[in-house]
Each structure stands twice: as C-alpha cells, then as structure tokens.
Amino acid sequence: AAAGAVPAAKLENADALIDSVETFIFDCDGVIWKGDKLIDGVPETLDMLRSKGKRLVFVTNNSTKSRKQYGKKFETLGLNVNEEEIFASSFAAAAYLQSIDFPKDKKVYVIGEDGILKELELAGFQYLGGPSDGDKKIELKPGFYMEHDKDVGAVVVGFDRYFNYYKVQYGTLCIRENPGCLFIATNRDAVTHLTDAQEWAGGGSMVGAILGSTKQEPLVVGKPSTFMMDYLAKKFGITTSQICMVGDRLDTDILFGQNGGCKTLLVLSGVTSVQMLQSPDNSIQPDFYTNQISDFLTLKAA
Ligand code: PLP
Ligand code: CA
C-alpha cells in the first residue's frame, strides 16, 4: 500500500501472508536481534519459512560491518544465514560504485567505520579515511590551507564513532573542489540503538554535517532508497510484488518496501510502538503489523 493509505491491519492470518509471497526481506536490528541479543523465536521462524521454500534476505542500514562480519554475527547468534543473503549498507556503497563503473584509478574518501573499508577493498576500489583519520589533526600548509587528494571522486559517509573536524573538512574539500565528486550516504537513520538504555545519534548525524557544509544532498544507498531493492531483485530475479519487507522502522524499512512495491509488515519488537504507528503525525502505514516475527508460528487462520 502507498504511504498515507489505509491504516495498517493487525496481522491475523500469517499463513495467508506467507503463502502470498516468495521472498522475505528482513531488517536486522529490531527484527532479528536487538544490539547483540537474539529476539525470541527467530531461529524457529526462519527455519519454518525455509522449510516452506521461502527465500530469505537480510538488509541492514548499519554500515559498521561488512557482509562477512555480519555472517559471523549471524553464526554467533546460532542462525543459519549465508553471507550471500546479507545486504548491509556498507556493501551497498561498494555495489553502487560498481554499478556506475566508478573508475578504479579514482579514490573514495570514507567517513565511516571498518565495514565500508572492507567492502570497498573487496570490490577493488582505492580508498582513504576511515577510523584511522579519527586521530588526525588538521595541519595547515604555508598560506593556511589544508591539502586534500584531488583524485578523490566519491565521499562515502556512514555511522562513524571516530568522527571529527578533520574528516568534515577533508570530505567537504573533496566534494566542493574535486569536479564531479560524489557524496554518497550509506544511510540517514536519525538515531540508533547501540544500547537499549537510550537512543544514540545515528548515521544521519554524520551525513548531516557534510550536507551542512556542502549544501549538497547525498545519494543514499541504504534504506529507504530503492538501490538495494533493485540490486537484489535483479540478483535473485525476483518480482518485488512477490516480496514481503519486514522491519521495525517506518521511515526506513517500511518506506523501503513501499518504494519497491513490496508487501510490508511492521514488527513492534524494535523502535516503533503501536502508538507511534497509529499517531496522526505518522503517514507511513505498512500493510500489516505484529509484535514480532515469531508470531508467524502462532497466527493461523481462524
Ligand atoms: N546504524 C547503526 C549504527 C546501528 O547501530 C543500527 C542498529 O543497531 C542501524 C543503523 C539500523 O540497523 P537496521 O537497519 O538493521 O535496523
Ligand atoms: Ca531496524
């Protein structure tokens, strides 16, 4: 359903939803796990869906890890998930650059963590920046300017706990002074749940700093942009109407599903409460909502 349409229905017949699609795309944090803790009933639910022949795909906006690093996280949590089924926004940045044939003799400046570096490296792109620039101080050249690499053709910005003014100025110089330099954001999540105790400033805060200085809108490759949806629809040869997108956040996951033409299911096991869903301030209505994905095991037709 389109945004602003019919209010979401409480999921009552899970089997009907499961039978109506061939693929489930699961958001990770708030759906599969919360931080480092597995959400109840997830292994059994995924096993049931696999036994029914459903394709399972996992899409996360958290760019701090690569697909390989997420593969380890799934394994540590006891989940049987293949690296090929995981699409993190770190990977999306590298896949986007590949999709536009970003020249291998150009460089990428990274404001973000290790996952982005690992995915760029795997894709064969030259990069600079990343966590190690967190220790850098600006060194002024005679004439009082900061030098930057004129071969940087793209600045990729994601969640970065090593963020500082050096990086802001470096990224800004690249975007403003290198002709055609791209400004790519892995995601723009306003806040994240690094711990359950409170909300933490998300990747959108780092993206916002560069937007503020360059006055350029970033090209977003994570949810809710359709880049990853188009990518995986093509990779697996899926029609998006045959997909159900399951997520806990309205302005990333549910919008991602709706932008892609998928069925959408909101779970209340993450950042969104039923009050937020039903608030007059919210215009994003999924097709269905339910407490958590293990409801698939119990919600049968009446
Ligand atoms: N970005 C960061 C830094 C996060 O810590 C999280 C969740 O923990 C997210 C984004 C959102 O991840 P997801 O798309 O899996 O909900
Ligand atoms: Ca989430």
Side-chain angles (χ1 to χ4, degrees):
V6 212
K10 194 167 184 358
L11 185 66
E12 279 172 1
N13 184 350
D15 287 342
L17 175 62
I18 295 167
D19 291 344
S20 74
V21 293
E22 60 186 31
T23 298
F24 280 89
I25 301 180
F26 290 106
D27 161 45
C28 295
D29 196 75
V31 177
I32 305 297
W33 57 64
K34 251 189 158 169
D36 285 324
K37 203 175 158 286
L38 189 66
I39 291 174
D40 285 346
V42 166
E44 298 84 347
T45 309
L46 300 186
D47 286 348
M48 178 275 286
L49 292 172
R50 284 198 199 279
S51 75
K52 289 193 165 197
K54 303 298 166 182
R55 181 188 285 105
L56 308 184
V57 175
F58 301 84
V59 176
T60 177
N61 261 3
N62 187 339
S63 64
T64 60
K65 290 184 170 74
S66 64
R67 285 165 301 165
K68 200 180 183 73
Q69 291 169 318
Y70 277 113
K72 292 220 179 70
K73 176 166 183 169
F74 276 99
E75 197 182 313
T76 305
L77 292 172
L79 296 169
N80 168 27
V81 169
N82 189 308
E83 252 174 64
E84 299 288 303
E85 298 167 319
I86 305 167
F87 298 84
S89 61
S90 52
F91 169 71
Y96 176 75
L97 290 169
Q98 271 180 329
S99 76
I100 60 164
D101 287 324
F102 184 76
K104 294 278 158 82
D105 59 348
K106 289 273 187 189
K107 296 172 193 166
V108 182
Y109 184 66
V110 179
I111 299 177
E113 299 194 10
D114 195 41
I116 301 172
L117 304 187
K118 287 222 157 60
E119 292 292 358
L120 289 175
E121 186 154 357
L122 210 60
F125 293 116
Q126 300 184 59
Y127 62 82
L128 59 160
S132 63
D133 273 7
D135 295 329
K136 290 198 179 154
K137 296 271 182 288
I138 293 176
E139 251 181 69
L140 289 179
K141 297 294 168 192
F144 305 104
Y145 69 94
M146 178 187 184
E147 268 188 341
H148 76 284
D149 193 327
K150 305 289 190 294
D151 290 334
V152 170
V155 175
V156 171
V157 185
F159 181 70
D160 187 352
R161 283 166 287 191
Y162 310 90
F163 193 67
N164 60 14
Y165 187 68
Y166 175 96
K167 297 185 182 191
V168 176
Q169 176 63 0
Y170 202 104
T172 301
L173 284 174
C174 294
I175 294 169
R176 292 183 74 111
E177 296 191 2
N178 292 0
C181 182
L182 303 170
F183 171 20
I184 297 168
T186 57
N187 66 304
R188 297 183 76 164
D189 294 39
V191 292
T192 81
H193 289 78
L194 294 173
T195 68
D196 247 0
Q198 63 183 177
E199 292 187 329
W200 298 82
S205 55
M206 292 86 198
V207 173
I210 303 301
L211 189 152
S213 58
T214 60
K215 298 197 172 168
Q216 270 201 45
E217 284 294 318
L219 210 148
V220 180
V221 292
K223 298 172 286 187
S225 121
T226 53
F227 175 72
M228 279 206 278
M229 185 69 75
D230 296 342
Y231 184 93
L232 51 95
K234 191 166 168 208
K235 179 180 168 90
F236 295 116
I238 336 169
T239 315
T240 56
S241 60
Q242 286 294 315
I243 298 175
C244 178
M245 173 68 210
V246 183
D248 70 319
R249 193 187 284 268
L250 294 162
D251 66 357
T252 53
D253 304 318
I254 300 306
L255 206 52
F256 175 67
Q258 290 178 341
N259 287 343
C262 309
K263 293 197 167 70
T264 55
L265 171 67
L266 178 79
V267 287
L268 303 173
S269 48
V271 302
T272 307
S273 63
V274 77
Q275 289 77 20
M276 288 158 75
L277 172 67
Q278 292 170 348
S279 155
D281 297 335
N282 168 45
S283 62
I284 304 171
Q285 294 292 328
D287 295 310
F288 301 102
Y289 71 95
T290 196
N291 289 326
Q292 50 188 25
I293 62 168
S294 61
D295 294 344
F296 282 179
L297 300 169
T298 53
L299 293 175
K300 303 284 175 191

